[in-house]
Amino acid sequence: MARQVKGLLYFFITDIRYSLTIFWTILLASLVATVTIAYFLLASGNTEFYFSFQFAIYIYACIAGFLMVKESIPFVLKLGATRKNIFISFGLFFLGLALAKAILANTIQSLIVKLVDVTGIYTINFGHLAQLLGDTWLNRVVIDTAFLFFLFSLFSVLSLLFYKHGLLGGGIVVGVLVVVLLLGLAQGWIVDFITDVYSTIDLIFFYQMLGVGVVIYCLSFLLLRRITTIKTK
């Protein structure tokens, strides 16, 4: 079991390496361009630039969580991987990738902030949810890890629904979620919930979010345990 899990983890890392390289190349190029423009516009007065790693890495987590599960499962099943080991491997991989991306993004942000302090490029600012709690490196890593694992779990479960039950099954679930969201917005309880979270937010909320992500991921085993190599259309 342990050897198969190691093999699956190696496969997932190798499989995602190319898209990760492209993603970080584009993100870092955007950061360099933003810092450069901010430097040359120092004398322009009130011009300010805002950069956030969060938005980009969260979008990447949604896409990666959906595509990896959908595309990798038939391949690893054909290689002889058991469903239990696939479930364990994806969980470990998503948690490790969430932690690695959170550490990398926030370490780069801390380095750029120090560079800004040294060079006096005060026209560039970084946005992060941690600014609501106390903008430290550790807080940012905890928040991003929790958010990323939650998104990986949610979109991998949605991907499994589409894989196992086709467009009809997955579409019904997504449709129900959209209707609930619209009802919540219309009735105001979603706005009340967000307002309540915003007014009482602390780091415990993000530990709870990580726990919810674990629960959502555990639900994916119900879809994985009898899955086959044939996708339902």
Side-chain angles (χ1 to χ4, degrees), residues 30-198:
S30 302
L31 175 62
V32 170
T34 304
V35 172
T36 303
I37 295 171
Y39 174 76
F40 283 109
L41 292 180
L42 272 175
S44 64
N46 296 324
T47 303
E48 290 191 357
F49 292 86
Y50 290 87
F51 194 92
S52 175
F53 283 98
Q54 274 193 304
F55 181 74
I57 62 177
Y58 291 176
I59 293 295
Y60 179 88
C62 298
I63 298 172
F66 190 88
L67 293 181
M68 276 203 70
V69 170
K70 184 179 178 182
E71 294 175 356
S72 298
I73 282 180
F75 184 75
V76 295
L77 282 175
K78 288 176 183 175
L79 289 178
T82 65
R83 286 138 185 91
K84 182 180 178 182
N85 287 342
I86 293 172
F87 171 75
I88 295 171
S89 302
F90 264 124
L92 293 175
F93 176 75
F94 286 148
L95 184 60
L97 184 59
L99 182 61
K101 286 175 75 70
I103 290 174
L104 180 60
N106 290 296
T107 300
I108 294 172
Q109 178 172 328
S110 296
L111 292 174
I112 296 297
V113 169
K114 289 187 180 298
L115 176 68
V116 167
D117 290 338
V118 171
T119 57
I121 311 175
Y122 296 114
T123 47
I124 184 167
N125 300 285
F126 287 91
H128 199 285
L129 280 174
Q131 290 164 344
L132 299 173
L133 309 173
D135 193 4
T136 65
W137 180 87
L138 184 59
N139 283 353
R140 294 200 303 268
V141 169
V142 170
I143 291 170
D144 286 346
T145 302
F147 247 113
L148 288 169
F149 185 76
F150 175 81
L151 292 173
F152 277 133
S153 300
L154 179 62
F155 279 82
S156 63
V157 169
L158 288 176
S159 181
L160 283 170
L161 280 169
F162 278 97
Y163 184 97
K164 193 168 182 179
H165 300 292
L167 284 174
L168 181 61
I172 289 173
V173 173
V174 172
V176 169
L177 291 175
V178 171
V179 169
V180 170
L181 180 64
L182 292 176
L183 279 175
L185 289 172
Q187 295 174 352
W189 55 266
I190 286 185
V191 176
D192 293 339
F193 172 75
I194 294 173
T195 303
D196 184 57
V197 168
Y198 179 79

Side-chain angles (χ1 to χ4, degrees), residues 4-23:
Q4 191 175 91
V5 170
K6 288 180 182 177
L8 287 170
L9 288 173
Y10 176 77
F11 168 72
F12 295 150
I13 293 169
T14 305
D15 189 46
I16 204 172
R17 189 171 54 189
Y18 180 74
S19 67
L20 269 179
T21 303
I22 297 294
F23 170 78

